[in-house]
Amino acid sequence: MNLHEYQAKELLKKYHVPVQEGIAVDTVMAAEEAYRQIKTQTGNNFAVIKAQIHAGGRGKGKIEGTEQRGVAVAKSVEDVATIAKNILGGTLVTIQTGAAGKKVNKILIAQDVYYPGPNPVKEFYLSILLDRAKGMNVVMYSTEGGMDIEEVAHNTPEKIFKEWVHPGGGLQGFQARKIAFNLGLSGEAFKNCVKFVTNLYNAYVGLDCGMLEINPLFKTSDEKIIAVDCKMNIDDNALMRHADTAALRDVTEEDPTEVEAGQYNLNFVKLDGNVGCMVNGAGLAMATMDMIKLSGGEPANFLDVGGTANAQTVEAGFRIIMKDPNVKAILINIFGGIVRCDRVAAGVIEAYNKLGNINIPIIVRLQGTNAVEAKKLIDESGLKVQSAIELSEAAALVKKAVA
């Protein structure tokens, strides 16, 4: 589950991680009031307005049809009103959103961190994620933070440092100090960075994050270390331990069909192909997608209905798949182990009758418990459904359907 920047920062503050303070708003009037509050608190006329979407590259991205950037600096309440009006309700297109962009429903009015002081400011990069190859969390960091970190990683990978953390011991003090040292910090900034990295790692583990990225990690002119931006992803499987965090989910940022599938406990991921898939079991679903490609088609989705497929889940699956106009055929591939094939066949027939006019070919391949009885039910139903028992039969039917 992805979080917005303002949500992630509030969670980090609970772990004593210093962040760029800000107020999230969804109207121009609220943006003006937030600016006045920030100005009073900081004594600074400057403030940063940031579009809140689940995508990076906001600083370089533009609101569709305008020159308005997704991140902008304001130095007066009039500036805030103009920028907020330009961003709110607009579609922000960034390098990570693709051409479709994402609608901006909220903006963050944040404090200016480039205030004058005795020392120069500096932007760094730092992230924590799981290195699956090593079976350990890894802290990735660089002295070259900011909007061009992707180019840094591509052109000068030697500037990206990595520190692996053993799962049994957690982040050690010497590792936090090593990170601060490699970032070139000293004195008060060094001490603050050690505390920051330690608390950030505690937040990563405590919140069951899948990924936690701070870019930029910022050293202020008075030697403070703060998170200016934050991207946070929470492991869905751990949300049962974090009811308060689960409540932060923003379904408007997710694919509507994936949200609907979740309501029926269906594991669904939308793809760009032309053959809809409905399968029981993730492994079989992956094999089915491979088979579709080998047959000359392209899978339009990943859909695992689980081991308890029934008429309701089959109907829900049908409805979700058919919302995709690119789908030219639907393949149902069920292995009857826990679930009986004849029960699934009955569910397919019932769902088909409820949905009524279905104008695309449907291929049903049932194998396992009561597969023969299931094929007979399909064949005698009078519906325009093609049945198969062998995978090769289903592959041939798919190839014919998309030819």
Side-chain angles (χ1 to χ4, degrees):
M1 184 182 80
N2 292 318
L3 296 179
H4 288 293
E5 174 192 355
Y6 75 93
Q7 295 171 323
K9 284 180 174 177
E10 288 301 313
L11 292 175
L12 289 184
K13 286 161 70 173
K14 294 180 181 179
Y15 286 83
H16 309 292
V17 177
V19 302
Q20 176 194 37
E21 295 292 346
I23 302 170
V25 298
D26 56 9
T27 67
V28 175
M29 187 178 296
E32 294 174 351
E33 179 57 31
Y35 169 77
R36 294 187 186 98
Q37 291 184 41
I38 295 292
K39 181 180 177 181
T40 300
Q41 292 168 6
T42 64
N44 191 337
N45 287 331
F46 288 85
V48 186
I49 292 88
K50 302 181 176 183
Q52 297 296 287
I53 60 170
H54 288 173
R58 294 170 296 164
K60 288 186 175 181
K62 294 181 181 180
I63 297 295
E64 196 173 53
T66 75
E67 291 300 309
Q68 178 64 62
R69 300 282 184 179
V71 177
V73 177
K75 57 183 178 180
S76 68
V77 71
E78 291 78 18
D79 284 351
V80 171
T82 300
I83 296 168
K85 187 176 180 181
N86 290 342
I87 295 179
L88 282 170
T91 300
L92 181 58
V93 180
T94 79
I95 193 172
Q96 292 187 13
T97 65
K102 289 200 171 191
K103 184 178 179 182
V104 182
N105 296 311
K106 280 193 176 184
I107 55 176
L108 181 66
I109 313 299
Q111 70 175 123
D112 172 36
V113 295
Y114 285 87
Y115 50 81
N119 299 299
V121 299
K122 179 64 179 174
E123 292 184 351
F124 306 109
Y125 172 86
L126 190 145
S127 66
I128 309 173
L129 63 158
L130 174 64
D131 184 335
R132 296 183 184 277
K134 289 182 177 288
M136 291 188 282
N137 293 327
V138 60
V139 182
M140 297 178 61
Y141 59 104
S142 175
T143 56
E144 311 299 313
M147 291 191 294
D148 297 320
I149 187 62
E150 290 86 1
E151 293 180 18
V152 172
H154 182 266
N155 298 326
T156 53
E158 69 276 4
K159 293 184 178 181
I160 304 291
F161 298 94
K162 296 180 181 180
E163 188 68 29
W164 284 272
V165 183
H166 193 281
L171 183 73
Q172 300 297 303
F174 78 89
Q175 293 179 299
R177 292 190 292 272
K178 179 181 175 183
I179 291 169
F181 179 81
N182 284 340
L183 290 176
L185 297 172
S186 59
E188 194 64 25
F190 181 93
K191 295 176 185 177
N192 289 332
C193 184
V194 170
K195 292 178 185 176
F196 183 98
V197 173
T198 301
N199 290 343
L200 188 73
Y201 188 82
N202 291 339
Y204 175 84
V205 175
L207 293 168
D208 287 304
C209 293
M211 184 274 293
L212 179 51
E213 180 184 72
I214 308 297
N215 186 32
L217 171 66
F218 194 76
K219 184 188 82 65
T220 65
S221 58
D222 53 357
E223 303 294 83
K224 294 176 183 175
I225 302 295
I226 63 175
V228 170
D229 192 10
C230 178
K231 294 183 182 67
M232 184 183 292
N233 176 282
I234 306 294
D235 186 346
D236 289 348
N237 295 310
L239 286 176
M240 59 183 176
R241 295 201 291 243
H242 306 280
D244 54 339
T245 305
L248 300 177
R249 181 185 180 193
D250 184 356
V251 295
T252 64
E253 289 284 326
E254 302 176 27
D255 186 285
T257 52
E258 293 185 14
V259 174
E260 183 182 353
Q263 295 171 352
Y264 292 96
N265 295 318
L266 299 174
N267 297 308
F268 178 87
V269 180
K270 190 177 182 304
L271 302 172
D272 297 326
N274 56 1
V275 180
C277 321
M278 192 186 308
V279 191
N280 67 325
L284 183 59
M286 297 298 289
T288 301
M289 293 163 70
D290 288 343
M291 185 272 290
I292 288 171
K293 289 185 71 69
L294 289 171
S295 301
E298 289 289 336
N301 62 272
F302 170 98
L303 175 55
D304 172 16
V305 297
T308 57
N310 54 38
Q312 184 183 22
T313 54
V314 170
E315 181 183 347
F318 267 132
R319 290 187 185 279
I320 291 167
I321 290 172
M322 289 196 303
K323 286 182 179 180
D324 185 349
N326 296 323
V327 171
K328 306 302 180 192
I330 297 175
L331 171 60
I332 302 174
N333 188 10
I334 301 292
F335 176 78
I338 299 173
V339 62
R340 285 167 29 199
C341 291
D342 56 334
R343 180 174 293 178
V344 175
V348 169
I349 294 167
E350 184 179 337
Y352 194 107
N353 287 326
K354 279 188 178 181
L355 290 170
N357 189 24
I358 300 177
N359 297 318
I360 57 177
I362 297 176
I363 299 105
V364 180
R365 183 256 178 174
L366 301 168
Q367 183 60 275
T369 307
N370 290 357
V372 174
E373 291 84 347
K375 187 176 188 308
K376 184 178 180 182
L377 282 173
I378 296 291
D379 292 342
E380 295 178 355
S381 66
L383 304 179
K384 295 179 181 179
V385 177
Q386 304 172 67
S387 65
I389 293 180
E390 297 298 326
L391 196 57
S392 56
E393 294 178 62
L397 292 171
V398 168
K399 185 174 182 178
K400 181 179 179 181
V402 300

